Amino acid sequence: MENKEAMQAVELRVDLGERSYPIWIGSGLLDRLGDASRQAAIPAGSPVLIITDEHVGRRYLKRAEQALHAAGYRTASLTVPPGEHSKSLAVFEDCVRAGLEAGCDRMSTVVALGGGVVGDLAGFVAASYMRGVRFIQVPTTILAHDSSVGGKVAVNHPLAKNIIGAFHQPEFVLYDTATLQSLPDRDVRSGLAEMVKHGLIWDAGFVDWCEANAGKLLAKDEEALAYGLAQGCAVKTAVVSQDERENGLRAILNLGHTIGHALEAVAGYGELLHGEAIAIGMVGSARLAERMGAAADVAARTEALMRQFGLPVSIPAGYSTEAILDAMMHDKKFKEGRTVFVLPTAIGKVEIRRDVPVELVRNIIEELKGETT
Ligand SMILES: NC(=O)c1ccc[n+]([C@@H]2O[C@H](COP(=O)([O-])OP(=O)(O)OC[C@H]3O[C@@H](n4cnc5c(N)ncnc54)[C@H](O)[C@@H]3O)[C@@H](O)[C@H]2O)c1
Ligand SMILES: [Zn+2]
C-alpha cells in the first residue's frame, strides 16, 4: 500500500498464482479501505456490499463506508446479529436479498467487516452470489487472523459445522489492529487459542514467544498483538500456499478441531466459543498423541499453555460422550469410515493420523469430562 511506512503496516503475501493476495496488518488501516480497494482494482461501477454484525457495525461501519465513499465507491450494508447463529442458511439468504435489493451485480464486491462469523458468512455469500463475486476481508477479531486467510468460507447446518461452504479467496485482507481494543476479553482469549495453535503445528520458537508474552497479548498490547498476528498469518499463509484445497498438508491447521468442532455442534452453536472448543480439542489431541507414543511433555505443556491463556482445558458438564462421538462422524474430517486426527509429535510438530482407535477417543473424552478447570 502507498504510504505503508506512515501507516506502519506489515505486508504478507498469500502465494496462489493468479489468486495471490496481500494481507496488510497495522494500526488505523480501516481508514485506508478505499485506497486499498483502488489499488486492488476493485471495480467502482457496481455497489460494494458490506456485511457486518451489530457489535462491529456500531463501532466501525461508518468509517468503512466513509473510506470507500472517499475513494469513489457506492456502498450498501447489512448488519446481522452477532454470534455463531448468523452462520446459517437463513442469514445467508438475508445477505443475498440485501445484495439484490442494493442492485449488486457480478462486478460487485462483498466486504466482510467483522470476526470469523462475518468473514465465513460474507465469504460464502461472495462465493455464491451470481456464481461468485469479489470479496475483501476486514477482520476485527484476533481469531480472524486465522479465518480471514486461506479462502475457506461456510455456513453451518444444525447437524454439522461449516458443512455448506466453498473455497473462495479474498482480493486482500486489511487488518486494523486498533479495532481489537474494543474486543471483549472472552473473545481475546478465544482468538489467542488459534494463534497458539499456529505455533503448536509449525513453529516451536513462536510457542516460546507466546508463552513469554501471554500477559501482553491478554492485555491487548498492540505491538505484541501485531507481531503475534503476523506470525500466525505467516504460518497460515505458508501452509495454504502449499495446499490451497486441503489435499494434504493443510489438514494440520485442524489441530484440536476434530474434538473442537464436535463440541461446538453438541453445545449448540455459540455456547462454547470456537477458540474455547479447540483449546479443549488441542488438550485432547495432545493426550491422544501421548497415548499413541508422542513425547511425554507435549500434553502437559499444551494444557499449561491453554491455562496460561485463560482457556478451558476440560469439557463442561452436561455433554454426552456418545453425542460428541456422533458429531465427529458428521464432520468433514470423517472420511471413508475413519476420523482424521491431527496429533502433536512434539511442540511445533504434528502428524495426520487416521488410525486413532475410537475406544481411545472415547476414553480421552471421558477423561476430559471428568475434570474441572
Ligand atoms: N474460515 C476459516 O478458515 C476459519 C478459521 C477459524 C475459525 N473460523 C470460524 O470463525 C468463527 C469464529 O470467529 P470469531 O471468534 O472472530 O467470532 P465472531 O465473528 O463471532 O466475533 C466474536 C464476537 O466479537 C464481536 N466483535 C468482533 N469484532 C469486534 C471488535 N473489534 N470490537 C468489539 N466486538 C467485536 C462480535 O460481534 C462477536 O460478538 C467460527 O465460526 C469459526 O468456525 C473460520
Ligand atoms: Zn479454527
Side-chain angles (χ1 to χ4, degrees), residues 57-79:
R58 194 164 70 223
R59 295 175 169 92
Y60 304 114
L61 178 59
K62 270 220 168 65
R63 273 176 60 201
E65 285 172 341
Q66 279 165 359
L68 285 165
H69 295 165
Y73 292 96
R74 283 182 294 139
T75 63
S77 69
L78 180 70
T79 302

Side-chain angles (χ1 to χ4, degrees), residues 276-336:
E276 294 170 347
I278 67 145
I280 301 168
M282 287 192 277
V283 173
S285 317
R287 290 199 194 166
L288 280 173
E290 203 168 277
R291 304 288 158 85
M292 294 185 68
D297 67 324
V298 177
R301 190 154 169 218
T302 304
E303 186 169 331
L305 257 169
M306 297 308 135
R307 287 186 192 277
Q308 197 184 359
F309 281 96
L311 288 158
V313 296
S314 61
I315 299 174
Y319 286 58
S320 136
T321 303
E322 292 315 311
I324 297 168
L325 288 169
D326 259 10
M328 283 184 196
M329 309 291 150
H330 290 302
D331 197 85
K332 296 189 293 322
K333 289 178 281 302
F334 186 74
K335 278 188 211 150
E336 296 168 0

Side-chain angles (χ1 to χ4, degrees), residues 53 55-56 59-60 82-84 87 115-118 120 140-141 143-144 146-147 149 152 161-162 179-180 182-184 187 190 194 236 250 274:
D53 75 19
H55 296 151
V56 179
R59 295 175 169 92
Y60 304 114
E84 188 72 24
K87 272 175 64 173
V117 163
V118 162
D120 283 9
T140 64
T141 64
L143 189 133
D146 186 358
S147 58
V149 176
K152 278 192 181 180
K161 194 170 151 81
N162 294 340
T179 61
L180 300 172
S182 55
L183 195 62
D187 292 293
S190 170
E194 295 274 25
K236 178 120 194 206
R250 185 168 178 163
H274 179 69

Side-chain angles (χ1 to χ4, degrees), residues 141-146 175 180 183-200 206-207 209-211 213-222 224-230 232 257 273-279 282 302 305-312:
T141 64
I142 295 171
L143 189 133
H145 82 279
D146 186 358
Y175 212 143
L180 300 172
L183 195 62
D185 289 344
R186 191 175 166 197
D187 292 293
V188 170
R189 296 192 292 269
S190 170
L192 291 172
E194 295 274 25
M195 185 188 285
V196 173
K197 177 199 80 179
H198 285 125
L200 288 172
F206 183 44
V207 175
W209 182 88
C210 288
E211 264 170 358
N213 289 278
K216 283 188 181 170
L217 290 167
L218 286 164
K220 296 191 278 197
D221 175 279
E222 221 183 320
L225 278 177
Y227 178 81
L229 294 171
H257 286 59
L273 298 182
H274 179 69
E276 294 170 347
I278 67 145
M282 287 192 277
T302 304
L305 257 169
M306 297 308 135
R307 287 186 192 277
Q308 197 184 359
F309 281 96
L311 288 158

